[in-house]
Amino acid sequence: MALPLIHGGPDGGPEIRFDFSTNANALGPLPAVLDAINAASRRHYPDPAYTALRQLLGDWHGVDAARVLPAGSAGEFIWRITQWQALAQRSQGRALRVWTATQAYGEYAAAARAVAAQVLHWPLASRLPPDLQAGDLCWLTEPHSPSGTSLLPDLPVWLDAAERAGATLVLDLAYQPLRLDARHDSPLLDAASCSAWQLWSPNKACGLTGVRGAYAIAPVGAVEPAAALRAHAPSWVLGIEGQAMLEAFCGAAAQQELSAHRNKLAVLRDQMEAALTQRGWQWSAGVTPFALVRAPVAVEQAPLWLADLRSAGVKLRDATSFGLPGWARINAQPAPAQAALYEAWDTWGAKQ
Ligand SMILES: Cc1ncc(COP(=O)(O)O)c(C=O)c1O
């Protein structure tokens, strides 16, 4: 039986008052995006071809609209491209091989297992592409979650390796707009010349993860694969709210708001790192508002203290399902949430 996927955020338990467990922009929602969503008319179907949206996103990224694929969510696209690649391999009598980092977003492997693909792991620490073969599907999350680290300087090596092998490389850029190291519009990710698929999911940067909607950009020249993959989606795969979110996100107002949020998130993250390291926690450095942390708690006790925090309304993302028992992922949050976390931690310490 397939194991349920673990995610941050709501878990069916009591209300989470201070949620450090998702990577969403804690200062959101971006007002310009929320206004656009609220103004969107739900009375009509979206344009099934998403012509205007594709043009807008294409112009924003400097690519032809023919390379833009609206998606119901990043998760929906992950499942769609995996199924599409598995069908292509099956038609040649082969099983699909799917590569993910040793610690990676669980959806890549879940989608692969659902089509009986072989799941292979490349070691995150190596920074190098694995031994790719023709027909392989390879996922690279940039910046990476849960660690918040970046492989951006190594990207040319990855693009080259995938191209030479005839493998499909997908860059999951879910957290690229939230990166805090001033490389959020790096030329290394210029879609106009990129030979990999790019997957963008702005709901995290917007602070609106309840709104589902994302898009992919096909590699340069891959107009036919883009059309084929669009045809593998049901009609109206993206709802009106998601469409309004994507449209507003690439507007000047939302981008200015996001830029201001990034500056504040960097301050919050640094405050949290200082306060927690002072309490003896390990903080693993990265380029995002979220990071991996290890509290001074024995590995066997870690689930207990996370449950203790959770019962105090404070949630961190247990990193055990990423293969990192004892570690948790934590996202930058404003002062009241930080105060609740420090208090809950100090209370736990007093009980030991
Ligand atoms: C790396 C990564 N990609 C994709 C997603 C899913 O994005 P969406 O909300 O668009 O399904 C997540 C959500 O946690 C994620 O962490």
Side-chain angles (χ1 to χ4, degrees):
M1 197 178 73
L3 294 173
L5 267 182
I6 309 288
H7 291 292
D11 49 19
E15 186 202 356
I16 308 169
R17 277 183 301 138
F18 303 105
D19 190 359
F20 292 82
S21 73
T22 83
N23 295 343
N25 172 0
L27 303 175
L30 299 180
V33 179
L34 187 60
D35 288 351
I37 292 168
N38 288 338
S41 166
R42 280 93 170 160
R43 296 186 57 221
H44 307 286
Y45 286 105
D47 165 14
Y50 298 101
T51 309
L53 175 68
R54 285 171 45 220
Q55 189 65 53
L56 184 75
L57 293 170
D59 289 349
W60 195 46
H61 285 279
V63 305
D64 196 292
R67 287 174 56 197
V68 179
L69 291 86
S73 65
E76 185 275 314
F77 182 79
I78 291 166
W79 284 71
R80 194 190 329 166
I81 194 168
T82 307
Q83 287 175 6
W84 182 63
Q85 292 277 295
L87 281 174
Q89 289 305 302
R90 205 167 296 158
S91 70
Q92 301 192 21
R94 291 196 296 252
L96 176 65
R97 304 194 327 160
V98 176
W99 290 95
T100 80
T102 31
Q103 296 114 35
Y105 184 49
E107 209 76 22
Y108 311 137
R113 282 192 291 267
V115 290
Q118 187 184 358
V119 180
L120 300 160
H121 297 291
W122 52 270
L124 186 62
S126 78
R127 306 183 67 92
L128 291 171
D131 188 13
L132 296 170
Q133 293 176 11
D136 285 359
L137 173 62
C138 181
W139 290 98
L140 180 61
T141 316
E142 176 56 37
H144 179 254
S145 175
S147 68
T149 54
S150 171
L151 283 181
L152 201 53
D154 305 298
L155 197 57
V157 181
W158 284 77
L159 295 170
D160 189 51
E163 228 177 327
R164 274 196 284 137
T168 298
L169 176 64
V170 189
L171 308 177
D172 182 340
L173 302 170
Y175 303 112
Q176 176 63 11
L178 275 173
R179 67 189 295 151
L180 304 176
D181 63 351
R183 297 179 103 170
H184 43 84
D185 44 12
S186 167
L188 283 169
L189 288 172
D190 183 6
S193 56
C194 189
S195 60
W197 289 83
Q198 297 193 352
L199 175 57
W200 295 89
S201 174
N203 65 359
K204 294 121 193 54
C206 293
L208 285 164
T209 46
V211 181
R212 316 297 298 144
Y215 61 99
I217 302 179
V220 60
V223 169
E224 273 181 32
L229 198 44
R230 269 198 301 274
H232 273 263
S235 296
W236 307 293
V237 66
L238 174 67
I240 282 290
E241 290 88 354
Q243 175 174 307
M245 173 178 71
L246 299 182
E247 284 167 357
F249 183 68
C250 52
Q255 288 301 311
Q256 270 166 23
E257 290 163 3
L258 178 58
S259 168
H261 282 194
R262 275 192 297 258
N263 294 337
K264 289 184 190 154
L265 288 168
V267 173
L268 296 174
R269 182 195 59 178
D270 292 350
Q271 277 171 358
M272 286 173 47
E273 179 176 359
L276 291 174
T277 50
Q278 206 194 9
R279 286 169 167 81
W281 293 37
Q282 285 179 63
W283 183 285
S284 139
V287 303
T288 50
F290 57 87
L292 281 170
V293 289
R294 173 109 199 241
V297 168
V299 174
E300 327 66 78
Q301 279 225 305
L304 276 180
W305 81 262
L306 285 171
D308 191 70
L309 288 188
R310 178 70 183 86
S311 64
V314 179
K315 183 169 178 183
L316 308 193
R317 165 71 157 91
D318 187 342
T320 305
S321 68
F322 291 117
L324 296 167
W327 289 79
R329 194 185 61 200
I330 195 167
N331 195 18
Q333 292 286 333
Q338 288 186 33
L341 170 64
Y342 307 147
E343 194 192 323
W345 169 251
D346 294 341
T347 309
W348 161 268
K351 282 192 278 186
Q352 301 315 299

